[in-house]
Amino acid sequence: MEIPYNVEERQDTGMFNGKLGIWLFLASEVMLFGGLFSAYVFLRMGDVTGAFNSGSSELNVPLATFNTLVLISSSVTMIMSWVSLKLGEQKKFKQYLGATLLLAAVFLVVKYFEYTAKFHHGIFPETSTFFAIYFTLTGLHMIHILGGMIVIFYFLVPGSKMMNIEPERFTNRIEIVGLYWHFVDLVWIFLFPVLYLL
Amino acid sequence: MSKHSVEDIKKSVKVYIGVFAALAVLTVVTVAASYLDLSFGESFFLALTIASIKGTLVAGYFMHLFTERTAVLAVLGLTFFFLITIMFLPFMAFTDQSAI
C-alpha cells in the first residue's frame, strides 16, 4: 500500500506529511530544551555560592567559539546539499552532505577534548550546580548531534539509493533532515553564550 | 517552501551565503562583547539579543520560516507561548518565595 502525501501536498496543511511531522517533533524538542534552560535560570537565580561565575570562567571559550563556527558551517553545507538535489546535481549533493557529516564529527571531537580536560581537572556534574546543568545541556545536545550524524550517514550511503528511484521523495527527506540539523545548530547558538560567556 | 524554480534556488544560494557571513560575524561580536566591562544584566541582555538575531536568521532563512505555511507557524506559535511560560516559572517561584 502506498503511503499518501509523502511527495504531494495535502490540501489542508499545504505541505507533505513528513514536513508537518518534523515540525511537531521540533516543537517537542523546543519544550525539552526550554525546560532545561528554565532549570538553568532557576539554578542561576538561586546560586548563592558563585558556582556559575566561577564555573563558566573555567570553560574554554576559544574552543567553543571554534565549535560554534563549525556548527554554523555545517548548517550551510546541509542546506547546500538540499539545494544541489533541487538542481539535480547529485555529486555535489553527496559532497555537501559528506562535508556536513565531517563538520559534525569535528564538533564532537572538540567536545571530547573539552570534556576530557574537565575530567582530568576533577570536574564532573557533581562538582557544582553550574557543571550539573552544563554537562546535562551539552550532553543532551551532543546526543542530538550524534543522532543527526546517524541519519545523515544513512542518507549518504545506504539510503541514497532512493535518489534515483524516487528523487522528489528523497529531496523531501533531505529537507526534513535539514530542518532537524538547523534546529540543533539553533540550540547551540543559545547554549554558547548562556554557558560560556555569561 | 516546496515549489521552487531553478532561478529562485540560485537566488536563495546567495542569501544562504550572506546569512552564513552574518552568523560568523555575530559569533565574533558575541565573544568580543563578553570582554566588555558590563554588569551581569547588561551582558545578559546583549548576549541574548545577539543570540536571538542569530536564531532568527537560522530559523527564518535556513529553516524557511519566513515563507512557511500557516500550519507550521500555528504549531510554533503555540510552542512559543508555552516556552515563554516555562521560562518565567523560575521568576514566579522566586517572587513567590520572597513574598513569604
Side-chain angles (χ1 to χ4, degrees):
Chain A
M1 196 180 92
E2 196 180 320
I3 302 168
Y5 305 113
N6 56 28
V7 173
E8 72 276 26
E9 292 171 355
R10 273 180 71 111
Q11 273 196 335
D12 50 0
T13 62
M15 69 192 99
F16 58 94
N17 277 355
K19 194 167 176 177
L20 187 60
I22 192 73
W23 274 114
L24 288 169
F25 171 68
L26 292 181
S28 76
E29 290 279 274
V30 168
M31 293 312 292
L32 171 66
F33 280 101
L36 288 168
F37 271 111
S38 181
Y40 167 91
V41 173
F42 187 77
L43 291 173
R44 179 142 208 167
M45 285 176 78
D47 176 35
V48 288
T49 60
F52 276 73
N53 286 335
S54 63
S56 69
S57 66
E58 288 186 61
L59 298 179
N60 193 325
V61 175
L63 267 187
T65 308
F66 172 75
N67 247 358
T68 305
L69 295 172
V70 166
L71 217 50
I72 289 168
S73 305
S74 78
S75 252
V76 178
T77 53
M78 185 75 230
I79 200 154
M80 288 306 292
S81 71
W82 173 76
V83 164
S84 304
L85 273 183
K86 281 276 182 190
L87 296 173
E89 296 168 340
Q90 294 191 356
K91 197 180 167 191
K92 273 193 178 175
F93 156 74
K94 287 215 163 190
Q95 287 170 345
Y96 279 123
L97 201 64
T100 309
L101 192 62
L102 189 70
L103 287 164
V106 169
F107 182 91
L108 284 188
V109 168
V110 170
K111 215 77 198 91
Y112 166 79
F113 283 117
E114 266 194 271
Y115 266 39
T116 47
K118 292 286 157 290
F119 296 153
H120 281 139
H121 287 99
I123 296 171
F124 298 97
E126 68 197 27
T127 304
S128 67
T129 48
F130 172 77
F131 281 108
I133 198 73
Y134 165 80
F135 281 112
T136 305
L137 276 166
T138 55
L140 185 67
H141 183 260
M142 280 201 300
I143 290 170
H144 279 76
I145 294 272
L146 202 60
M149 284 175 77
I150 292 167
V151 177
I152 289 170
F153 177 78
Y154 172 77
F155 285 120
L156 193 61
V157 187
S160 68
K161 286 172 195 160
M162 187 191 266
M163 190 159 49
N164 297 314
I165 306 162
E166 293 180 90
E168 209 175 335
R169 188 177 174 192
F170 185 73
T171 307
N172 285 349
R173 286 184 158 194
I174 295 302
E175 185 179 359
I176 287 172
V177 180
L179 285 172
Y180 171 81
W181 195 253
H182 301 312
F183 173 78
V184 173
D185 182 22
L186 194 61
V187 170
W188 182 257
I189 282 173
F190 284 93
L191 278 184
F192 172 56
V194 162
L195 293 174
Y196 289 82
L197 303 178
L198 288 175
Chain B
M1 187 80 187
S2 52
K3 299 279 180 215
H4 310 268
S5 70
V6 172
E7 279 309 306
D8 285 344
I9 292 167
K10 283 182 178 171
K11 268 184 209 166
S12 60
V13 169
K14 286 179 187 165
V15 176
Y16 298 147
I17 302 299
V19 170
F20 169 64
L23 290 171
V25 169
L26 285 171
T27 300
V28 176
V29 170
T30 315
V31 177
S34 72
Y35 289 102
L36 294 175
D37 189 21
L38 300 172
S39 68
F40 175 75
E42 290 165 339
S43 305
F44 182 81
F45 179 75
L46 191 61
L48 281 198
T49 303
I50 298 170
S52 300
I53 295 169
K54 288 168 74 180
T56 306
L57 288 173
V58 171
Y61 291 105
F62 288 168
M63 300 171 89
H64 303 137
L65 266 192
F66 288 153
T67 53
E68 200 43 270
R69 307 283 182 196
T70 319
V72 170
L73 298 179
V75 167
L76 290 180
L78 194 64
T79 310
F80 191 69
F81 168 76
F82 285 112
L83 177 69
I84 295 296
T85 307
I86 207 169
M87 291 309 291
F88 270 95
L89 282 181
F91 295 99
M92 287 162 69
F94 277 91
T95 310
D96 191 40
Q97 203 172 38
S98 60
I100 296 170

